[in-house]
Amino acid sequence: MLKYQQIALDIERMIETEQLKRGVKLPVLEALMKEFEVSKSTITKALDLLEKKGVIYQVRGSGIFVRGHKRKGFLSLISNQGFKDSLEEFDITSEVLELKIVQPERYVRDALDLPEGAEAHYVKRIRYINGKTLCVENSYYSKELIPYLNKEIVTGSIFHYITEGLKLQIGFSDMYLQVGKLTEEEAGYLQLKSGDPKLSAETIFHLNNGKPFDYSMITYNYEQSQFYVQSGSYLR
Amino acid sequence: MLKYQQIALDIERMIETEQLKRGVKLPVLEALMKEFEVSKSTITKALDLLEKKGVIYQVRGSGIFVRGHKRKGFLSLISNQGFKDSLEEFDITSEVLELKIVQPERYVRDALDLPEGAEAHYVKRIRYINGKTLCVENSYYSKELIPYLNKEIVTGSIFHYITEGLKLQIGFSDMYLQVGKLTEEEAGYLQLKSGDPKLSAETIFHLNNGKPFDYSMITYNYEQSQFYVQSGSYLR
DNA sequence: CAGTGGTCTAGACCACGAA
DNA sequence: TCGTGGTCTAGACCACTGC
């Protein structure tokens, strides 16, 4: 693990274990440099990482402060593939409805950069949060990048398998959100009524090297859909 | 303007004017260093900024590539207070329903870090996108940080006034999303039916120095609610 | 004006990808 | 193996905050 990542982790853990509240000032750069025995830029890089993650904010001429402050019961919309997942706060399980290899249609191939006739794993799952239906998920995984999937893997966390089992690193994602009314079929899966509100999320996940490996369409149960999104300035 | 910001801008403009598509490789670091006559870290910083913004992605040992690729017609959920606003793609106008100074309730004071009895501007607006109702917005602006607002300012872009008029810099925001059913009142404003789907967003905006200045509750018209969210890995 | 964070540099060395 | 991006350092200097 790189120095700046380790330092970021250490500082984050410190904030957590010491229960530091929003607005609490952290030690000054000089002190952190000495404590971790690294140069200024390394500390800065660690702090930038934490700022990007929404853990702290830095104010020039003043100090480094804890941002913290996520409301309980809200899921991070941006799957926090960071250090410890905030999903640990919840009990999430999956029921696999379908798992097969298909030759996906045009719009899926476009998303995954696949040629005509290429194969992909198709996965249909219902996901539960604390025992309640959270969403129905239709996913396609590029067979070229993810050669093998079975029911066991798919029942658990597919992303965990990809990062830990296959040692692939997830890079970035594009997500498209829409609100609408549930169809008869969706309502059935989610134990709601046809015409009830829904949140639809279409997401394309890419590996570290920019290759798209997963195209997912998720329909969320509106009763369980509470999300938060933290964002920072794009000026720095 | 700082060197790395200027370079980031230049590169972004280059990608745009040359219509570079997703996956196109940019010149290597060495070349960029020479072109802009700066050190490696400055180029790196500029590229990190663009990566964070979702414009490019970098692959170690391979190169720097254009990410681009936002679907048309989708609004950025994360108000892109970056360079040119993607809202320019749309025609957004506002109708002010109410503008007054109030002593906000507990939950608003908590969000804005205000003591009991402190004052805030209360603004209620309907916002239109390309002539259609986009959302109803209920906002509170801390009077301490934003001393003055009038109908003209509020009819236009309040954030533009804050950054350009008051020369304040916006730092970060926390947003909480929920899907639900429209109340009678909301449906009236949005020209929809009571019970129709809605997306509710509660957002707290902070200045550069960490002080919260705006608490907004927005109810979106589900027919116009198409959003995208780009995200990157929190590992670096 | 002292304290604190931010920018920028030059250069050494490391890690990953593709051929 | 070589090209390419990433990390890390030491240090000079800059810019903002708050007393």
Side-chain angles (χ1 to χ4, degrees):
Chain A
M1 175 153 275
L2 298 166
K3 278 192 188 180
Y4 77 89
Q5 291 178 341
Q6 186 60 56
I7 293 170
L9 248 182
D10 287 350
I11 295 177
E12 193 177 4
R13 288 222 180 97
M14 189 192 84
I15 291 173
E16 231 167 78
T17 59
E18 296 188 20
Q19 295 269 318
L20 301 187
K21 301 287 179 210
R22 180 161 71 111
V24 170
K25 186 174 174 179
L26 296 183
V28 300
L29 277 184
E30 186 93 20
L32 293 172
M33 283 169 65
K34 280 183 186 156
E35 183 181 341
F36 291 103
E37 298 182 305
V38 290
S39 73
K40 190 172 177 177
S41 355
T42 304
I43 288 290
T44 299
K45 185 127 201 216
L47 293 172
D48 285 349
L49 190 61
L50 289 176
E51 190 169 46
K52 188 172 146 193
K53 251 195 103 176
V55 176
I56 58 161
Y57 59 92
Q58 301 179 73
V59 184
R60 160 131 63 174
S62 178
I64 306 154
F65 305 90
V66 175
R67 178 167 165 191
H69 182 271
K70 297 161 197 163
R71 216 173 278 182
K72 290 256 165 169
F74 284 72
L75 283 164
S76 173
L77 191 63
I78 294 155
S79 49
N80 244 343
Q81 318 118 15
F83 313 102
K84 62 150 190 31
D85 212 339
S86 76
L87 292 193
E88 286 173 10
E89 186 187 338
F90 306 98
D91 174 32
I92 295 201
T93 56
S94 305
E95 177 188 347
V96 180
L97 300 182
E98 230 176 317
L99 169 60
K100 61 182 179 187
I101 290 172
V102 297
Q103 294 189 359
E105 292 180 56
R106 182 79 201 287
Y107 69 99
V108 176
R109 291 205 312 272
D110 281 355
L112 294 180
D113 264 353
L114 295 176
E116 198 172 338
E119 293 187 323
H121 300 275
Y122 169 68
V123 184
K124 182 176 193 128
R125 306 191 289 182
I126 300 182
R127 312 209 74 187
Y128 298 89
I129 184 167
N130 302 328
K132 294 171 182 166
T133 56
L134 172 64
C135 60
V136 207
E137 180 190 280
N138 288 279
S139 296
Y140 295 85
Y141 292 87
S142 161
K143 193 154 181 303
E144 189 191 338
L145 299 171
I146 317 290
Y148 177 73
L149 282 182
N150 63 25
K151 191 153 183 176
E152 192 195 336
I153 295 168
V154 164
T155 304
S157 168
I158 300 175
F159 277 47
H160 183 265
Y161 166 71
I162 289 170
T163 52
E164 299 304 314
L166 299 180
K167 298 288 178 203
L168 294 174
Q169 290 203 328
I170 290 157
F172 53 90
S173 62
D174 296 306
M175 178 183 253
Y176 298 90
L177 293 174
Q178 243 164 316
V179 178
K181 295 179 182 175
L182 286 172
T183 64
E184 194 81 39
E185 190 205 353
E186 293 163 340
Y189 291 128
L190 297 176
Q191 300 161 11
L192 293 172
K193 288 178 195 157
S194 163
D196 272 351
K198 71 172 173 187
L199 178 66
S200 304
E202 217 175 312
T203 314
I204 302 165
F205 290 93
H206 305 255
L207 294 177
N208 229 5
N209 59 13
K211 292 186 183 165
F213 69 95
D214 175 21
Y215 174 75
S216 289
M217 288 159 295
I218 302 184
T219 303
Y220 286 95
N221 179 335
Y222 76 100
E223 291 176 333
Q224 310 302 327
S225 297
Q226 300 196 114
F227 298 99
Y228 71 84
V229 188
Q230 284 189 315
S231 83
S233 155
Y234 284 115
L235 289 171
R236 56 176 217 183
Chain B
M1 174 153 276
L2 298 166
K3 279 192 187 178
Y4 78 89
Q5 291 178 339
Q6 188 60 54
I7 293 170
L9 248 181
D10 288 350
I11 294 176
E12 193 178 3
R13 287 221 180 98
M14 190 191 84
I15 291 172
E16 231 167 78
T17 59
E18 296 186 19
Q19 293 269 317
L20 301 187
K21 301 287 179 206
R22 182 162 70 108
V24 170
K25 187 175 173 179
L26 296 182
V28 301
L29 277 184
E30 186 93 19
L32 293 171
M33 282 169 66
K34 280 183 186 158
E35 184 182 340
F36 292 102
E37 297 180 307
V38 291
S39 73
K40 189 172 176 177
S41 356
T42 304
I43 287 291
T44 298
K45 185 129 201 214
L47 293 172
D48 285 349
L49 190 60
L50 290 177
E51 190 169 47
K52 187 172 146 193
K53 251 194 103 175
V55 176
I56 59 162
Y57 60 92
Q58 302 180 73
V59 184
R60 165 144 38 181
S62 177
I64 305 153
F65 304 89
V66 175
R67 179 167 165 189
H69 181 274
K70 296 160 203 184
R71 217 172 277 180
K72 290 254 165 171
F74 283 72
L75 282 163
S76 173
L77 191 65
I78 293 155
S79 49
N80 244 345
Q81 319 119 13
F83 313 103
K84 61 150 190 30
D85 213 336
S86 75
L87 292 192
E88 285 172 11
E89 186 188 338
F90 305 97
D91 175 32
I92 296 201
T93 56
S94 305
E95 177 188 347
V96 180
L97 300 183
E98 230 175 316
L99 169 60
K100 62 182 180 189
I101 289 172
V102 298
Q103 296 189 358
E105 291 181 57
R106 181 80 200 285
Y107 69 101
V108 175
R109 291 204 313 271
D110 281 354
L112 294 180
D113 264 350
L114 294 177
E116 198 173 339
E119 293 187 323
H121 301 275
Y122 168 69
V123 183
K124 184 177 191 127
R125 306 192 290 182
I126 300 181
R127 311 209 75 187
Y128 298 89
I129 183 166
N130 301 327
K132 294 172 183 167
T133 56
L134 171 64
C135 61
V136 207
E137 181 190 279
N138 288 279
S139 295
Y140 295 84
Y141 293 87
S142 161
K143 193 153 182 301
E144 189 190 337
L145 299 171
I146 318 290
Y148 178 72
L149 282 181
N150 63 24
K151 191 154 184 177
E152 191 195 337
I153 294 168
V154 165
T155 303
S157 167
I158 299 175
F159 277 47
H160 183 265
Y161 166 71
I162 289 171
T163 52
E164 300 304 314
L166 299 180
K167 297 289 179 202
L168 294 174
Q169 290 203 329
I170 290 157
F172 53 91
S173 62
D174 296 305
M175 178 184 253
Y176 299 90
L177 293 175
Q178 243 165 314
V179 177
K181 295 178 180 177
L182 287 172
T183 63
E184 195 81 39
E185 189 204 354
E186 293 163 341
Y189 291 127
L190 297 176
Q191 300 162 12
L192 293 172
K193 286 178 197 156
S194 163
D196 272 351
K198 71 172 174 185
L199 179 67
S200 305
E202 217 174 313
T203 313
I204 302 164
F205 291 93
H206 305 254
L207 295 177
N208 230 4
N209 59 14
K211 291 186 183 166
F213 70 95
D214 174 22
Y215 173 75
S216 288
M217 288 159 294
I218 303 185
T219 302
Y220 286 96
N221 179 334
Y222 76 101
E223 291 175 334
Q224 312 302 328
S225 298
Q226 300 196 113
F227 297 99
Y228 72 84
V229 187
Q230 285 189 316
S231 82
S233 154
Y234 283 115
L235 288 173
R236 58 177 213 181

